[in-house]
Amino acid sequence: QVHLTESEGGSVPAGGSLRLSCESSELTDSSSCMGWFRQAPGKAREGVASIYSDGVMTYLTESVKGRFTISRDNAKNTVYLQMDDLKPTDTAMYYCAAGGIVACIASMKEYDFKTWGHGTQVTVSS
């Protein structure tokens, strides 16, 4: 079974940057798509970004386009989420998730991601 290990999040002022990483225990069909979700207090979990194993098929939710970048290093079984120009509205618990190709095609439907990390907190102060 695939296991996901997320890096520590952090606290930054508005306009700052953070990079999250998520290492998968193995690269298989069930982890070919890797992504990040986030959940702010009192809000539903939302898909932020995903990337397929080819490194080409990617998705970014509208609110982070131009600020966040997702990438992956298959040699390290690791996906990265570079977050720049952070806003207080980006404050949330961020979860790494993995799934098959359908997860990347279907624009981040939670049920397509079968494996989840424990989450890491990102806090952006105004």
Side-chain angles (χ1 to χ4, degrees):
Q1 185 175 349
V2 173
H3 295 282
L4 303 176
T5 304
E6 297 144 334
S7 61
E8 292 273 335
S11 296
V12 297
S17 297
L18 279 174
R19 188 176 82 156
L20 302 180
S21 64
C22 173
E23 181 179 357
S24 173
S25 58
E26 56 187 313
L27 179 58
T28 67
D29 287 343
S30 62
S31 62
S32 57
C33 179
M34 295 184 70
W36 291 93
F37 288 77
R38 67 185 180 185
Q39 187 167 22
K43 295 190 175 181
R45 189 155 55 185
E46 66 167 338
V48 177
S50 67
I51 185 167
Y52 186 56
S53 56
D54 63 1
V56 176
M57 190 192 319
T58 61
Y59 169 88
L60 288 169
T61 194
E62 194 64 36
S63 63
V64 307
K65 286 181 179 178
R67 301 187 299 120
F68 291 13
T69 304
I70 189 167
S71 61
R72 66 189 291 166
D73 183 340
N74 288 338
K76 297 180 179 180
N77 293 342
T78 300
V79 63
Y80 303 96
L81 184 68
Q82 177 66 41
M83 304 184 292
D84 298 318
D85 190 22
L86 282 159
K87 305 177 185 300
T89 50
D90 295 316
T91 295
M93 185 71 79
Y94 283 70
Y95 297 89
C96 179
I101 185 172
V102 172
C104 271
I105 291 173
S107 299
M108 307 212 70
K109 300 294 190 295
E110 283 190 49
Y111 51 76
D112 289 325
F113 289 83
K114 306 304 183 184
T115 303
W116 292 78
H118 294 297
T120 188
Q121 179 68 36
V122 172
T123 302
V124 185
S125 57
S126 57

